[in-house]
């Protein structure tokens, strides 16, 4: 899509105009805004917060920590896969030498 599409999303009761370049990007933005609003509601119900900025900071921390945890897990998965591949290669080499 050559032209960008202007959409509006509501986050924590405020409307934000955003430009997106595709329908998929629009869907992603709207889903992200819904996730944020759900988390805002959860934090407001479970914690005594008087300021939306505090709630949004907690949301940002929640999402950022998920990204970091996933990156750590991915690195660990890659490391484990590499070790297994090296073990398999060693077994294959050993078998071929016989």
């Amino acid at each position: 899509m050559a032209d960008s599409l202007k959409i509006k999303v509501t986050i924590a009761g405020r409307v934000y105009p955003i430009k997106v370049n595709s329908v998929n990007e629009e869907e992603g933005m709207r889903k992200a805004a819904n996730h944020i609003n759900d988390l805002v509601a959860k934090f407001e119900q479970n914690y005594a917060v008087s300021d939306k900025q505090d709630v949004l900071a907690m949301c940002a921390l929640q999402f950022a920590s998920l990204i970091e945890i996933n990156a750590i897990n991915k690195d660990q998965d890659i490391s484990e896969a590499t070790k297994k591949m090296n073990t398999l290669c060693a077994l294959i080499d050993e078998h071929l030498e016989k």
Side-chain angles (χ1 to χ4, degrees), residues 2 20 27 30 36 38 60 62 66 69 74 83 90 98:
V20 295
E27 182 180 357
R30 292 191 187 283
I36 293 168
D38 291 345
Q62 181 81 26
L66 288 174
I69 290 166
K74 181 181 176 185
K83 287 178 186 176
K98 290 182 180 180

Side-chain angles (χ1 to χ4, degrees), residues 9-12 27-39:
V9 294
T10 302
I11 300 173
E27 182 180 357
M29 288 288 184
R30 292 191 187 283
K31 283 185 176 184
N34 286 334
H35 285 301
I36 293 168
N37 288 325
D38 291 345
L39 198 53

Side-chain angles (χ1 to χ4, degrees), residues 12 14 40 44 49-61:
R14 292 182 72 177
V40 164
E44 287 178 333
V49 288
S50 59
D51 188 1
K52 287 282 189 199
Q53 184 173 346
D54 292 337
V55 175
L56 291 171
M58 292 168 67
C59 290
L61 179 61

Side-chain angles (χ1 to χ4, degrees), residues 6-97:
K6 294 178 183 177
I7 65 169
K8 292 181 181 179
V9 294
T10 302
I11 300 173
R14 292 182 72 177
V15 177
Y16 297 91
I18 300 174
K19 288 183 181 180
V20 295
N21 295 318
S22 69
V23 174
N24 288 343
E25 190 176 347
E26 176 185 5
E27 182 180 357
M29 288 288 184
R30 292 191 187 283
K31 283 185 176 184
N34 286 334
H35 285 301
I36 293 168
N37 288 325
D38 291 345
L39 198 53
V40 164
K42 178 182 165 188
F43 281 136
E44 287 178 333
Q45 288 174 356
N46 295 330
Y47 301 100
V49 288
S50 59
D51 188 1
K52 287 282 189 199
Q53 184 173 346
D54 292 337
V55 175
L56 291 171
M58 292 168 67
C59 290
L61 179 61
Q62 181 81 26
F63 287 119
S65 68
L66 288 174
I67 290 169
E68 293 302 323
I69 290 166
N70 287 336
I72 291 167
N73 290 338
K74 181 181 176 185
D75 288 344
Q76 289 174 346
D77 290 346
I78 290 171
S79 178
E80 289 176 25
T82 301
K83 287 178 186 176
K84 289 178 181 179
M85 292 291 286
N86 289 337
T87 302
L88 286 172
C89 287
L91 288 171
I92 291 170
D93 288 343
E94 182 181 315
H95 181 70
L96 291 174
E97 290 174 359

